[in-house]
Amino acid sequence: MFTVGFLILVGRMSVFYFKSKSRNWAELWPFGLSATAFAAAGACAGGIIGTIMTWARNGVGKGGDYALEKGTGATHVQISRPAEFGTLSPFGAVIMLALIVVFVVLYKSAKKKPKRELSWGAPCGLTLGPFLGAVTLTPLINWIGHVSIEQTFFS
């Protein structure tokens, strides 16, 4: 799983650095938003979104293991425990749902190039989320939910 996400990230950054004439960081926001939204969605403990994200992550992980084994001859890494996201608080889950809504609206209204960026960010975030999301993204989203929703409306 990590292999797929890492290769997508390296590929996107390589295209940005070597092919982009302007190297304008604003070109990466659709990719970043998509990766963030799907990394956050993968932190769902259950429900429809959590179940679908787990199925998708497992499928992509099997594809990455197959590519690693057949493409390089290396064996896939055996881990002693699975990577964990951490848990979204109820208010963090609201922020995650807002990110998914923004992703869907942007995807539906995007032209060809931003749509491609959104499409590549989704599997990148989904597969790198368990490794990076628990340390950075899940606590950040929970904090944003706490500050923007819980303290504002429920305190």
Side-chain angles (χ1 to χ4, degrees), residues 54-80:
T54 300
W55 290 342
R57 197 171 40 253
N58 289 340
V60 171
K62 287 179 185 174
D65 288 345
Y66 182 81
L68 189 62
E69 290 172 6
K70 301 301 180 194
T72 66
T75 58
H76 66 275
V77 178
Q78 297 291 331
I79 56 175
S80 60

Side-chain angles (χ1 to χ4, degrees), residues 122-146:
C124 181
L126 182 66
T127 55
L128 287 181
F131 303 98
L132 304 175
V135 176
T136 58
L137 195 59
T138 304
L140 177 64
I141 289 174
N142 285 337
W143 177 80
I144 292 170
H146 173 71

Side-chain angles (χ1 to χ4, degrees), residues 18-138:
F18 294 113
K19 288 187 80 176
S20 175
K21 296 194 187 317
S22 67
R23 291 195 187 137
N24 182 3
W25 287 96
E27 294 175 9
L28 295 175
W29 75 264
F31 180 84
L33 172 78
S34 178
T36 301
F38 276 81
C44 291
I48 294 170
I49 293 175
T51 302
I52 291 171
M53 293 298 127
T54 300
W55 290 342
R57 197 171 40 253
N58 289 340
V60 171
K62 287 179 185 174
D65 288 345
Y66 182 81
L68 189 62
E69 290 172 6
K70 301 301 180 194
T72 66
T75 58
H76 66 275
V77 178
Q78 297 291 331
I79 56 175
S80 60
R81 62 178 178 77
E84 295 294 334
F85 278 95
T87 305
L88 286 175
S89 70
F91 303 106
V94 171
I95 300 299
M96 180 274 306
L97 288 171
L99 286 170
I100 295 295
V101 167
V102 169
F103 168 80
V104 169
V105 168
L106 281 174
Y107 189 82
K108 289 292 194 176
S109 63
K111 303 250 187 255
K112 186 178 181 180
K113 184 171 171 52
K115 191 174 274 194
R116 185 175 61 233
E117 295 292 327
L118 290 165
S119 297
W120 280 110
C124 181
L126 182 66
T127 55
L128 287 181
F131 303 98
L132 304 175
V135 176
T136 58
L137 195 59
T138 304

